[in-house]
């Protein structure tokens, strides 16, 4: 294999290598002792040495060296264990390089050329390994090479897949290739001599659609904040549209909502993403949603098979999905038959004898004397081995908690029988719950009204109970029951109250989770008791708002139970903590289940069945609202036609999803909706929402405004009646108590909830989980980008009052700032601080995006109006240090915008103040490494000063002789400055010593380099420098003489004060010295009084006054600068300059 060239000083040290082939530039050598048949002592010795060495220290038997004629230094460029491979490498060198090297005259050029070629071959091998992961490696290798050549992005920008397609520009199609990478989509076309190419970051994509136009029946439309692109002529449009949606969704969640990918371990490292991984991820997402599994579950195996279904007396064909902790079966037709088996319920998994009628059977035995038979498994052995391994690991884990009972069984059961009760050996919780925890459902103690056993309600409950009791023996009971269309009908009729808690636990699989973690809830209650937080305060505020009309929550017992459940969950999951509507859901769960079971159900709903619903931004609920809007357009086109803007209906329906209709339907009717939710998941809520809108479509189309539409839907939901409820409709306990009904349109007298649910299944039951997940993937893009737009609007609103930038310029600067943050995430070297690796939407708007020192320097080079040549990097470094006020090595957008505002729109004195502060601590440090020749020498403070001006005769100024000539002029200037200072609320900046002043002068000189008025500016700054040095010299001498007088001590403090006052009157230049001296003490060590008084120093006011004496300098700093042009130029240059810089860094590393 090819190697990165490594230097070898001696080509044949100790004669350990034998040269097999050689020419002027290359040697093919064999390790002595490898392949020798003569049995020479040297060969035997080397061979024995190599054989006893550790594998890490062994040397490959063949190598190729690059040698320079007449040089003792060579480079290893290839090595290998097989002579055939080395001969192929040798032949390639001879055929492709040897003749080319003869034209070089310089040996160093030869070495550099060969090394570059070898590195290129290594990069090609890397591409080959990546291509090997694809279905067609050669085609992918070619596409990868074209992608790198056409777009010039860093090698870390991993290509995922490519599609041949047509990009439309108006009515003109451009046939080319669409390249999809982990962070970008790119298109390249070269047709009839015209080249078209563009790169779009996924972070800029705001919407994806499939549209039809007059020219094309089916197109993929990609919309960004700046443009709209249409693509067509895909060989497989469904596949391309799905991959585009997945990559955009993954990129945005990684960049904007990193918490959403916390459990998707494969996607946390973008380098792991391939087309195959995307397919697996899409399937995993579907399986987790279909069976409502924990989000951390990984999909292990997928196999076609058939399962014996006793109720149908046949084998049902479908697909078996296995995860870390579950076996899941789904029939070919979604919803026809499904089966969920937690591994915690499994006793054994065994292979049975294969026959013609039962090919490749597998028997899965579970608790309760039940077993399931799977046949027609193609890769049965590996499937069983994987399941058995995970089962053993899980059993060992459980044995650590339950040592009294073995989880294995001595005799598996092969007869397919089902008991209505759990097996005799089933565990009963051995550790009693604390007395404060309720061990029974609240409904057992509290009812709205005690049912009369002779009325129709009790009779109907008994009928339902009998139907379920008849159902259990045939279809199973417990979490591993067969879930079929028949059970769907039973659920739609309403689960009897006596079985509701049990079936909720079964459908959600909260029962197995509870059994796997005994005592978990009581431990959380103990830990969370007495703790106070924002979540507990919100819980206390909402406790008495949860079903306030229900007797169970009109007493201390019910309220205490609700408090414990909500507080325990907030303690378990502090990222969610507590969100409104959780109290309503938890209170209903407590009515029908034990307290510990209610907690498990709450966990299942918040973390598995409604992911991302209950958090600060309710992203999940907003995504489903956006999906609901599209379903309305698709399933209710007439309603969508009359109401083009569906956002008001979406806002009305938000509470339907957040509270599962509990806040809008009468209580007994709403509980029936919860039954359907636990059986079908979010699909049931979508179906019912569509059914509600369909039932009111005519009235909604005739509604005049949003408020009337709200009244129509509220009135309809209020009168939805439970089947056995004899009472007239009453206001919902959570709704407003106002009895005013004026203006509300007439509604139907009653609608039975069972009829409404049946109607939803009949009209919209064909909605599948797969369809919902695909829609969620696309609409999550829109929701996240809408949040980004809100963040930007608020950040600009906060910053605008503090700066003079136009709204357009400020918005563009924000985009540049944010893009710089993203570029580092795209191609950073991994050394990024944790604060920059994750986007935290909980921070203030102006602090959600921050940049570090390297990123700031990049923005500095793009936007600063005055570059300083080779000194630019140093000035950028000091600027970052100055702006980083909280010393966290990060700069916020507010700080960045304020800095730009000073450079482009502030007055001259503020610009000079900024430059001044860049050359004193903390921006300038004592340890700063500056190779400038001006750093070392200290200017004389006792002799005359000579300053050379470019293109001008030498100017020699003697300080003592010329000082009086400047006094009158400086007095007037300082008076004006004093007036300005009275208006300035900023604290005075500390004075500048001689070293700092030299650095200040160096920056000014470098700023003027290349300016059209360069000579005049150099002459002006030289004059100002001389003047400031004179001022500093006089001040230095004055303080020295004052120190000598005060040291005599004859007149005491009074004399010293008089001298100080006199000195200030005589030299008004130093009037600000005393008040600024205190500022200088911060962050620096204090010197003795005499030393500090004798130190050479000048103040900001003195430097500013001196600069004002030169009109050329005043013109330079007051010249208007066009920020718009600079920003427009930065937009073009930012991306590719950063990409090129990163490629250069990666190439030299």
């Amino acid at each position: 294999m090819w190697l990165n060239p490594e230097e070898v000083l001696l080509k044949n040290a100790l004669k350990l290598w034998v040269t097999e082939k050689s020419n002027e530039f290359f040697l093919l050598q064999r390790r002595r002792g490898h392949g020798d048949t003569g049995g020479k002592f040297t060969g035997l010795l080397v061979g024995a040495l190599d054989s006893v060495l550790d594998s890490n220290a062994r040397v490959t038997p063949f190598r190729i060296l690059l040698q320079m004629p007449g040089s003792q230094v060579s480079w290893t460029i290839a090595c290998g264990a097989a002579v055939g491979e080395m001969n192929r490498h040798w032949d390639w060198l001879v055929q492709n390089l040897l003749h080319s090297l003869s034209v070089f005259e310089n040996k160093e050029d030869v070495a550099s050329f060969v090394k570059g070629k070898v590195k290129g071959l290594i990069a090609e091998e890397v591409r080959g390994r990546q291509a090997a992961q694809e279905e067609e490696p050669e085609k992918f290798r070619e596409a990868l090479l074209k992608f790198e050549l056409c777009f010039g992005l860093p090698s870390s920008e991993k290509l995922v897949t490519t599609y041949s397609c047509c990009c439309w520009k108006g009515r003109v199609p451009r046939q080319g290739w669409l390249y999809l990478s982990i962070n970008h989509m790119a298109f390249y076309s070269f047709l009839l001599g015209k080249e078209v190419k563009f790169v779009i970051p996924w972070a800029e994509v705001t919407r994806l659609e499939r549209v039809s136009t007059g020219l094309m029946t089916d197109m993929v439309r990609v919309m960004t904040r700046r443009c709209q692109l249409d693509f067509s002529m895909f060989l497989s449009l469904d596949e391309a549209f799905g991959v585009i949606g997945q990559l955009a969704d993954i990129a945005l969640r990684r960049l904007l909502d990193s918490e959403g990918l916390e459990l998707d371990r494969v996607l946390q490292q973008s380098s792991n993403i391939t087309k195959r991984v995307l397919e697996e991820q899409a399937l995993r997402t579907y399986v987790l949603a279909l069976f409502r599994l924990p989000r951390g579950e990984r999909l292990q195996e997928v196999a076609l098979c058939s399962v014996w279904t006793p109720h149908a007396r046949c084998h049902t064909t479908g697909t078996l999905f296995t995860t870390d902790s579950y076996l899941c079966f789904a029939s070919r037709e979604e919803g026809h038959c499904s089966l969920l088996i937690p591994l915690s319920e499994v006793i054994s998994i065994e292979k049975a004898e294969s026959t013609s009628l039962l090919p490749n059977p597998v028997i899965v035995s579970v608790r309760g004397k039940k077993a399931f038979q799977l046949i027609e498994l193609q890769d049965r052995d590996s499937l069983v081995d994987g399941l058995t391994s995970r089962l053993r690991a899980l059993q060992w884990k459980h044995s650590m908690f339950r040592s009294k009972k073995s989880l294995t069984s001595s005799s598996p059961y092969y007869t397919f029988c089902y008991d209505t009760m759990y097996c005799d050996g089933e565990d009963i919780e051995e550790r009693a719950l604390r007395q404060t925890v309720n061990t029974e459902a609240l409904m057992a103690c509290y009812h709205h009204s005690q049912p009369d056993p002779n009325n129709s309600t009790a009779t109907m409950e008994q009928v339902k109970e009998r139907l379920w009791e008849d159902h259990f023996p045939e279809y199973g009971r417990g979490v591993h029951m067969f879930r079929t269309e028949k059970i769907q009908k039973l659920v739609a009729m309403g689960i009897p109250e006596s079985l509701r808690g049990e079936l909720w636990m079964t459908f959600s699989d909260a029962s197995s989770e509870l059994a796997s973690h005994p005592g978990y809830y009581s431990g959380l209650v103990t830990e969370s008791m007495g703790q106070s937080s924002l979540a507990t305060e919100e819980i206390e505020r909402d406790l008495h708002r949860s079903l306030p009309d229900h007797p169970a929550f009109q007493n201390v017992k019910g309220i205490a139970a609700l408090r414990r459940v909500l507080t325990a969950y907030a303690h378990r999951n502090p990222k969610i903590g507590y969100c409104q509507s959780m109290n309503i859901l938890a209170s209903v769960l407590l009515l029908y289940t034990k307290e510990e079971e209610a907690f498990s159900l709450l966990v299942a709903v918040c973390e598995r069945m409604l992911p991302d619903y209950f958090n600060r931004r309710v992203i999940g609920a907003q995504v489903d609202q956006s999906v609901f809007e599209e379903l309305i357009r698709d399933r209710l086109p007439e309603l969508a036609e009359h109401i083009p803007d569906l956002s008001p209906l979406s806002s009305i329906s938000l509470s339907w999803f957040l509270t599962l209709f509990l806040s809008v339907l009468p209580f007994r009717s709403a509980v029936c909706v919860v039954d359907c939710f636990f059986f079908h998941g979010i699909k049931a809520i979508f179906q019912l929402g569509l059914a509600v809108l369909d039932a009111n479509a005519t009235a909604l189309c005739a509604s005049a405004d949003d408020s009337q539409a709200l009244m129509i839907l509220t009135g309809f939901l209020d009168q939805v009646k439970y089947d056995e409820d004899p009472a007239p409709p009453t206001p919902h306990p959570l709704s407003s108590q106002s009895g005013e009904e004026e203006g509300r349109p007439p509604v139907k007298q009653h609608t039975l909830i069972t009829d409404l649910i049946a109607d939803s299944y009949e009209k919209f039951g064909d909605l599948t989980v797969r369809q919902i997940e695909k829609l969620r993937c696309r609409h999550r893009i829109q929701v996240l980008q809408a949040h980004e737009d809100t963040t930007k609007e608020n950040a600009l609103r906060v910053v605008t009052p503090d700066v003079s930038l136009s709204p357009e310029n400020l918005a563009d600067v924000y985009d540049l700032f944010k893009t710089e943050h993203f570029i580092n995430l795209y191609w950073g070297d991994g050394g990024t601080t944790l604060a920059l690796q994750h986007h935290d939407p909980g921070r203030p708007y102006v602090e959600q995006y921050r940049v570090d020192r390297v990123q700031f320097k990049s923005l500095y080079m793009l936007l600063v109006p005055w570059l300083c040549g080779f000194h630019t990097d140093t000035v950028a470094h000091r600027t970052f240090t100055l702006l980083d006020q909280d010393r966290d090595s990060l700069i916020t957008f507010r700080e960045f915008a304020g800095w730009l505002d000073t450079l482009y729109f502030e007055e001259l004195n503020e610009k000079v103040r900024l430059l001044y502060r860049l050359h004193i601590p903390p921006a300038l440090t004592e340890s700063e490494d500056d190779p400038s020749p001006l750093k070392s020498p200290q200017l004389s403070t006792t002799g005359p000063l000579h300053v050379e001006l470019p293109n001008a005769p030498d100017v020699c100024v003697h300080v003592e002789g010329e000082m009086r000539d400047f006094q009158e002029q400086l007095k007037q200037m300082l008076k004006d400055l004093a007036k300005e200072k009275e208006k300035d609320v900023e604290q005075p900046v500390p004075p500048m010593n001689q070293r700092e002043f030299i650095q200040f002068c160096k920056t000014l000189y470098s700023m003027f380099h290349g300016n059209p008025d360069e000579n005049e500016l150099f002459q002006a700054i030289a004059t100002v420098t001389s003047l400031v040095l004179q001022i500093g010299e006089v001040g230095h001498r004055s303080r020295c003489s004052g120190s000598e007088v005060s040291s005599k001590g004859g007149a005491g403090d009074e004399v010293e004060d008089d001298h100080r006052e006199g000195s200030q009157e005589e030299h008004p230049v130093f009037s600000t010295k005393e008040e600024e001296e205190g500022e200088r003490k911060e962050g620096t060590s204090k010197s003795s009084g005499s030393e500090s008084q004798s130190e050479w120093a000048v103040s900001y006011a003195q430097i500013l006054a001196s600069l004002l004496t030169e009109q050329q300098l005043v013109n330079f700093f007051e010249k208007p600068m066009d920020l718009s042009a600079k920003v427009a130029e930065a937009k073009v240059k930012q991306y590719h300059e950063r990409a090129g810089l990163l490629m250069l860094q990666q190439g030299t590393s």
Side-chain angles (χ1 to χ4, degrees), residues 170 894 1068:
R894 182 201 292 270

Side-chain angles (χ1 to χ4, degrees), residues 25 105 196 339 468 577 621 636 882 934 1031 1128:
F25 295 102
E105 297 181 358
V196 175
L339 181 66
W468 279 98
L636 302 173
L882 179 65
L934 289 176
I1031 295 172

Side-chain angles (χ1 to χ4, degrees), residues 684-737:
I685 307 301
F686 278 116
Q687 291 177 179
L688 189 62
L690 291 171
V692 169
L693 295 180
D694 183 53
N696 295 273
T698 303
L700 290 172
C701 290
S703 61
D705 51 31
D706 298 343
S707 60
Q708 189 174 357
L710 174 61
M711 294 172 62
I712 291 170
L713 293 175
T714 303
F716 175 81
L717 293 171
D718 281 347
Q719 56 82 44
V720 174
K721 179 189 173 191
Y722 184 61
D723 291 11
E724 301 86 7
D725 192 353
T730 57
H732 190 274
L734 295 174
S735 63
S736 173
Q737 299 300 316

Side-chain angles (χ1 to χ4, degrees), residues 359-377:
N360 297 331
V362 172
I363 306 300
V364 180
S365 301
V366 299
R367 301 184 189 191
K369 299 181 181 180
K370 303 172 188 176
F372 299 91
Q373 184 188 69
L374 291 76
I375 63 172
E376 299 176 343
L377 288 162

Side-chain angles (χ1 to χ4, degrees), residues 175-431:
Q175 183 64 35
W177 286 90
L178 183 65
Y179 297 85
L180 306 179
S181 68
I182 53 178
N183 297 308
H184 303 81
M185 65 179 298
F187 179 80
Y188 182 83
S189 171
F190 187 82
L191 195 63
L192 300 177
K194 187 173 182 180
E195 183 182 61
V196 175
K197 67 177 180 180
F198 54 80
V199 178
I200 296 177
W202 294 123
E204 290 296 318
V205 174
T206 58
R207 192 181 186 93
L208 294 174
E209 291 180 344
R210 289 180 66 168
V211 297
S212 296
T213 64
L215 297 175
M216 298 300 301
T217 57
D218 211 357
M219 303 174 67
V220 175
R221 175 165 293 171
V222 180
M223 285 179 279
T224 71
R225 292 183 174 88
R226 296 184 177 89
C227 64
Q228 174 181 300
L229 300 167
D230 292 332
F231 301 92
S232 64
M233 303 293 288
F234 291 94
L235 292 177
S236 177
L237 189 137
D238 290 338
E239 176 190 306
F241 186 65
V243 172
I244 292 172
Q246 277 187 277
L247 286 172
D249 176 48
I250 291 170
L252 288 174
R253 291 166 70 187
R254 189 176 73 248
L255 297 172
L256 308 180
D257 187 38
S258 56
E259 291 183 3
L261 286 178
E262 184 177 2
L263 296 177
D264 297 342
R265 305 168 198 167
V266 177
L267 303 180
Q268 287 177 353
Q269 293 295 329
S270 57
S271 58
N272 295 333
I273 299 175
T274 63
K275 185 179 177 182
R276 186 178 304 171
V277 167
L278 291 178
E279 294 171 352
E280 294 172 355
Q281 187 64 22
L283 181 58
R284 172 182 175 271
T285 302
Y286 166 68
V287 172
L288 295 186
L290 180 62
F291 295 97
R292 277 91 67 191
L293 302 181
R295 298 178 72 184
E297 287 291 306
R298 295 172 298 176
L299 188 62
Q300 299 290 348
E301 296 99 2
V302 180
L304 297 177
C305 69
S306 297
V307 172
W308 174 255
T309 49
H311 56 273
R313 302 294 187 269
C314 66
H315 284 90
T316 300
T317 304
T319 306
L320 177 70
F321 306 96
T322 67
T323 68
D324 296 335
S325 307
Y326 293 89
L327 280 79
C328 312
F329 173 82
S331 59
R332 287 180 177 176
E333 182 182 353
E334 185 180 304
H336 176 67
C337 178
S338 63
L339 181 66
L340 178 67
I341 307 176
L343 282 181
S344 58
E345 296 288 318
V346 175
I347 296 175
S348 66
I349 302 173
E350 297 184 1
K351 293 178 285 188
E353 184 179 355
S354 181
T355 65
S356 58
L357 295 178
L358 300 175
N360 297 331
V362 172
I363 306 300
V364 180
S365 301
V366 299
R367 301 184 189 191
K369 299 181 181 180
K370 303 172 188 176
F372 299 91
Q373 184 188 69
L374 291 76
I375 63 172
E376 299 176 343
L377 288 162
Q378 295 297 324
D379 196 5
R380 180 178 67 165
D381 293 342
S382 61
L383 177 67
V384 172
D385 290 344
L387 285 171
T388 303
S389 175
R390 292 195 294 276
L391 177 61
R392 289 174 180 169
L394 191 64
Q395 289 174 341
W396 177 84
K397 182 180 178 180
H398 286 182
S399 67
M400 300 297 292
F401 296 99
R402 296 183 174 184
S403 58
K404 294 185 179 181
K405 180 186 175 186
S406 173
L407 294 180
T408 58
S409 175
S410 58
S411 58
Y413 292 85
Y414 296 97
T415 56
F416 295 90
C417 60
Y418 299 89
D419 297 342
T420 58
M421 301 297 293
Y422 294 101
C423 67
D424 296 337
E426 192 69 29
D427 256 353
I428 301 173
E429 287 297 330
E430 298 175 0
R431 190 170 64 178

Side-chain angles (χ1 to χ4, degrees), residues 121 233 396 461 574 586 596 605 656 677 765 870 902 930 962 1117:
L121 291 172
M233 303 293 288
W396 177 84
E461 282 287 304
E596 189 175 27
V605 171
W656 304 355
F677 169 75
F870 293 108
T902 300
D930 188 356
E962 300 291 337
F1117 284 108

Side-chain angles (χ1 to χ4, degrees), residues 314-575:
C314 66
H315 284 90
T316 300
T317 304
T319 306
L320 177 70
F321 306 96
T322 67
T323 68
D324 296 335
S325 307
Y326 293 89
L327 280 79
C328 312
F329 173 82
S331 59
R332 287 180 177 176
E333 182 182 353
E334 185 180 304
H336 176 67
C337 178
S338 63
L339 181 66
L340 178 67
I341 307 176
L343 282 181
S344 58
E345 296 288 318
V346 175
I347 296 175
S348 66
I349 302 173
E350 297 184 1
K351 293 178 285 188
E353 184 179 355
S354 181
T355 65
S356 58
L357 295 178
L358 300 175
N360 297 331
V362 172
I363 306 300
V364 180
S365 301
V366 299
R367 301 184 189 191
K369 299 181 181 180
K370 303 172 188 176
F372 299 91
Q373 184 188 69
L374 291 76
I375 63 172
E376 299 176 343
L377 288 162
Q378 295 297 324
D379 196 5
R380 180 178 67 165
D381 293 342
S382 61
L383 177 67
V384 172
D385 290 344
L387 285 171
T388 303
S389 175
R390 292 195 294 276
L391 177 61
R392 289 174 180 169
L394 191 64
Q395 289 174 341
W396 177 84
K397 182 180 178 180
H398 286 182
S399 67
M400 300 297 292
F401 296 99
R402 296 183 174 184
S403 58
K404 294 185 179 181
K405 180 186 175 186
S406 173
L407 294 180
T408 58
S409 175
S410 58
S411 58
Y413 292 85
Y414 296 97
T415 56
F416 295 90
C417 60
Y418 299 89
D419 297 342
T420 58
M421 301 297 293
Y422 294 101
C423 67
D424 296 337
E426 192 69 29
D427 256 353
I428 301 173
E429 287 297 330
E430 298 175 0
R431 190 170 64 178
L433 295 175
R434 294 178 174 270
Q435 294 180 358
T436 55
V437 176
N438 292 341
T439 57
E440 62 180 355
L442 294 179
M443 190 62 82
C445 305
Y446 306 98
H447 293 273
H448 274 295
S449 58
Q450 294 295 332
D452 183 359
N454 298 321
N455 66 17
S456 60
T457 301
T459 303
M460 195 59 188
E461 282 287 304
Q462 294 171 2
V463 171
K464 290 180 181 180
E465 290 174 1
R466 283 198 300 270
L467 290 173
W468 279 98
E469 294 297 338
D470 293 341
H471 178 85
F472 288 142
E474 192 174 5
Y475 291 84
R477 188 170 190 170
V479 67
H480 34 64
M481 67 165 58
F482 286 99
R483 308 180 191 203
T484 64
E485 293 176 345
K486 181 181 178 181
I487 199 172
Q488 173 184 309
K489 295 177 181 178
L490 290 176
V491 171
M493 293 171 58
I495 299 175
E497 290 193 355
S498 60
L499 296 174
R500 181 164 278 144
E502 175 191 337
L503 290 175
W504 285 359
M505 294 288 289
T506 296
F507 295 152
S508 64
D509 188 39
S511 56
S512 60
E513 287 290 314
L514 181 60
S516 301
H517 302 87
Y520 177 66
Y521 172 68
S522 58
L524 283 178
V525 170
T526 303
E527 293 174 9
S528 60
M529 278 302 216
Q531 295 188 4
S532 178
S533 64
L534 179 61
T536 57
E537 293 175 4
E538 293 176 345
I539 290 171
E540 290 297 328
R541 186 170 60 247
D542 287 348
L543 283 178
H544 295 279
R545 304 176 185 175
S546 308
L547 301 183
D549 289 348
H550 199 287
F553 299 100
Q554 294 175 347
N555 62 83
V556 176
K557 183 177 180 180
I559 294 296
L562 181 59
R563 178 187 292 110
R564 286 192 295 270
V565 169
L566 294 175
T567 305
Y569 185 80
H571 186 72
R572 163 194 164 86
N573 192 342
K575 286 186 177 180

